[in-house]
Amino acid sequence: MIPPQEASARRREIEDKLKQEEETLSFIRDSLEKSDQLTKNMVSILSSFESRLMKLENSIIPVHKQTENLQRLQENVEKTLSCLDHVISYHHVASDTEKTIREGPTGRLEEYLGSMAKIQKAVEYFQDNSPDSPELNKVKLLFERGKESLEAEFRGLMTWHSKVVSPVLILDLISGEDELEAQEEVPLEHLPEGVLQDVICISRWLVEYGRNQDFMNVYYQIRSSQLERSVKGLKEHFRKSSSSSGVPYSPAIPNKRKDTPTKKPIKRPGTIRKAQNLLKQYSQHGLDGKKGGSNLIPLEGRDDMLDVETDAYIHCISAFVKLAQSEYQLLTDVIPEHHQKKTFDSLIQDALDGLMLEGENIVSAARKAIIRHDFSAVLTVFPILRHLKQTKPEFDQVLQGTAASTKNKLPSLITSMETVGAKALEDFADNIKNDPDKEYNMPKDGTVHELTSNAILFLQQLLDFQETAGAMLASQETSSSATSYSSEFSKRLLSTYICKVLGNLQLNLLSKSKVYEDPALSAVFLHNNYNYILKALEKSELIQLVAVTQKSAERSYREHIEQQIQTYQRSWLKVTDYLAEKNLPVFQPGVKLRDKERQMIKERFKGFNDGLEELCKIQKAWAIPDTEQRDRIRQAQKNIVKETYGAFLHRYSNVPFTKNPEKYIKYRVEQVGDMIDRLFDTSA
């Protein structure tokens, strides 16, 4: 049961809350009444505003429609005036641009092309809207005159500013000898940058608006002339440099100003010079053949000129490739893409034809040289052919897209050179075998024949051009195409050829040796030549090349040399035979010799003395240039004769076979040795 006090408090609390709720309800009721009143007032205001808007709209709409019509009329008037201005402007184009066109585009190309654009638009307008208008003819004539001026400007810019590339710059471009230089880009500016941009602008305008391709002919004719002159200038540079200083030069590229060139020798391909230097080394060892004659023209006299011409041609070939590449890069900026290949083909023709003609002249000269047996001239084909083959990939790349006739020019020249080279090799081998010079100009002292030195010298050239010479030989093989042979096959062919030449040379030398009436001189002659050949083979790579197909070549030559030494030594038998014990009298000490026995001893001494003097007199004029061989032969002969004579002298020097012993015992053993030591020495 709730206590009375709590119930009373609870009732008071409820009553207070009820009173509060009643007050709140009364406040809400008052608020709703005020809101209703405000709503009624707002509705009344809005109704009044709507009524007024309707009145305003009814007043404004007619005014708006009138204004809109006026604006449309104004726009039409403005458009009409604009059209009139536009049409009138076409009628003024001729007078506005005539002065600019008359003065030409020089120095203000952008302004000139702007005027040409105006004239072109005027032509198009009159053609579409007033084809019979006299204004059309006027702007047409002006347009044609402007186009002609642009064509003349194009020709003038190309003519005035196209530069022949200087020889020293070309040499820098193609040298690439040093690693440092190879990293440097050699600038090659055919046209100044500003001029080039003008040329490009004019060419694009002529293609797009001028409907004219004649400028392409102008372009290739001018650039073709510059290319040809650049190549010819390099060739002339070689000739002048070789005649003045002997060595063409090029300025060093890195950190050098172009006006301070430093002489730098150009690496020569090496045709004749290397083998001649080797043969000079042989001559220092007494191996040089000087006196023998041959119908082979000596490989000296014109070598410098041949080297210069060969170097010049080789460098011109490389220069053409580099310059043609540069020309194509320039051409791609100026000529439209679908005309580039044809224009480039025309551009390079004169320079390329000149090089090919020069190459064919070299081939023709080589053919004539073969007929004259002037094989030194033929040797110029080898470095040129090698360089052409090395350059062919670049050539083919440069000539991509040109006509087939253009692409085939270099392969055709290579084929011609291979053919004439193979012919030269074949004729040289035959000439070595059939050289008819047997009686005239033979070396009287038995030294090395000129045929031998020339043959070795020629073979020495082939070492520098092994692949080239092998390819020449392979091109004549019916079982092998020019492109299918391997380097090993080529090497074996060249080895076989060298062995053939050496075999022919040996047969010819044997034939020539029979000219000598004295077998000993014949033996000395063959000894000198065989020794010369062997030493020359050993001092070069020829011996390794010969060994590819003939392993025993070196041993065979040594056997031939020993055989000739033995043949020579037999010439002394007619001297030493007088000293032989056969048929000599046997005597006892203290027993007096009979007259017959004394006479026999006298005859032996006299025969030895006369034979010794005669042989020494004759053989003193003979020559063995190789010091080592000369000393060896002298020593061997001296040992034999001294030993035999010493024994004979010991046996009879104290025998009373004559009252005048000094008449018969003319020489001491040492004197005999000294006499033999002076053999083969024309200066003694």
Side-chain angles (χ1 to χ4, degrees), residues 433-571:
K433 180 179 180 180
N434 302 316
D435 181 60
D437 188 9
K438 296 178 182 178
E439 299 181 5
Y440 303 102
N441 296 323
M442 286 292 288
K444 295 179 181 180
D445 57 3
T447 190
V448 179
H449 198 281
E450 189 176 14
L451 177 68
T452 302
S453 61
N454 278 348
I456 292 298
L457 180 56
F458 185 86
L459 293 180
Q460 188 66 49
Q461 311 309 305
L462 303 186
L463 289 177
D464 288 335
F465 310 104
Q466 293 185 38
E467 291 186 9
T468 304
M472 289 176 177
L473 296 169
S475 68
Q476 305 304 304
E477 292 286 319
T478 55
S479 60
S480 171
S481 68
T483 57
S484 64
Y485 61 87
S486 66
S487 59
E488 185 62 30
F489 174 69
S490 170
K491 192 172 184 179
R492 292 188 66 84
L493 280 179
L494 185 57
S495 176
T496 301
Y497 172 78
I498 291 174
C499 291
K500 176 183 177 181
V501 171
L502 293 175
N504 290 349
L505 177 60
Q506 187 173 338
L507 290 173
N508 199 322
L509 290 173
L510 282 171
S511 176
K512 290 181 185 299
S513 69
K514 296 175 183 177
V515 172
Y516 298 110
E517 296 179 359
D518 190 334
L521 180 56
S522 177
V524 168
F525 171 77
L526 290 176
H527 164 274
N528 284 332
N529 282 273
Y530 292 156
N531 185 60
Y532 179 89
I533 294 170
L534 178 60
K535 289 294 179 69
L537 293 179
E538 289 176 336
K539 287 182 180 292
S540 68
E541 297 176 13
L542 278 173
I543 193 67
Q544 288 89 349
L545 197 53
V546 168
V548 172
T549 55
Q550 191 172 332
K551 304 292 185 183
S552 61
E554 187 174 0
R555 186 181 72 248
S556 176
Y557 273 109
R558 295 193 186 282
E559 290 174 354
H560 288 317
I561 291 169
E562 290 303 318
Q563 182 182 353
Q564 299 309 318
I565 291 176
Q566 293 172 13
T567 301
Y568 162 75
Q569 289 175 341
R570 284 197 290 271
S571 69

Side-chain angles (χ1 to χ4, degrees), residues 33-51:
E33 288 177 357
K34 288 179 181 179
S35 177
D36 288 341
Q37 185 61 40
L38 289 172
T39 301
K40 288 179 182 179
N41 292 338
M42 180 60 69
V43 169
S44 175
I45 291 169
L46 290 175
S47 298
S48 175
F49 185 69
E50 180 181 9
S51 174

Side-chain angles (χ1 to χ4, degrees), residues 327-507:
E327 286 291 346
Y328 189 76
Q329 292 174 357
L330 178 66
L331 178 141
T332 55
D333 291 331
V334 179
I335 304 299
E337 183 176 358
H338 54 288
H339 292 286
Q340 288 173 1
K341 295 295 184 182
K342 182 179 179 181
T343 304
F344 181 69
D345 195 346
S346 300
L347 189 155
I348 62 173
Q349 283 303 314
D350 288 346
L352 181 59
D353 286 345
L355 289 173
M356 295 302 105
L357 178 60
E358 189 172 350
E360 290 297 339
N361 289 339
I362 291 172
V363 172
S364 178
R367 290 194 183 100
K368 295 176 181 178
I370 292 172
I371 296 174
R372 300 192 309 269
H373 298 158
D374 181 6
F375 295 100
S376 63
V378 179
L379 288 172
T380 60
V381 172
F382 285 75
I384 292 173
L385 178 57
R386 180 177 65 181
H387 187 72
L388 290 179
K389 285 189 169 184
Q390 291 172 345
T391 313
K392 187 175 182 298
E394 283 188 275
F395 241 101
D396 293 341
Q397 185 177 5
V398 169
L399 299 184
Q400 280 182 351
T402 57
S405 59
T406 303
K407 294 177 181 177
N408 291 333
K409 287 180 179 180
L410 182 64
S412 176
L413 179 59
I414 289 175
T415 300
S416 296
M417 287 194 170
E418 281 193 330
T419 302
V420 76
K423 174 67 173 171
L425 293 176
E426 178 185 350
D427 282 19
F428 181 80
D430 291 342
N431 194 80
I432 292 294
K433 180 179 180 180
N434 302 316
D435 181 60
D437 188 9
K438 296 178 182 178
E439 299 181 5
Y440 303 102
N441 296 323
M442 286 292 288
K444 295 179 181 180
D445 57 3
T447 190
V448 179
H449 198 281
E450 189 176 14
L451 177 68
T452 302
S453 61
N454 278 348
I456 292 298
L457 180 56
F458 185 86
L459 293 180
Q460 188 66 49
Q461 311 309 305
L462 303 186
L463 289 177
D464 288 335
F465 310 104
Q466 293 185 38
E467 291 186 9
T468 304
M472 289 176 177
L473 296 169
S475 68
Q476 305 304 304
E477 292 286 319
T478 55
S479 60
S480 171
S481 68
T483 57
S484 64
Y485 61 87
S486 66
S487 59
E488 185 62 30
F489 174 69
S490 170
K491 192 172 184 179
R492 292 188 66 84
L493 280 179
L494 185 57
S495 176
T496 301
Y497 172 78
I498 291 174
C499 291
K500 176 183 177 181
V501 171
L502 293 175
N504 290 349
L505 177 60
Q506 187 173 338
L507 290 173

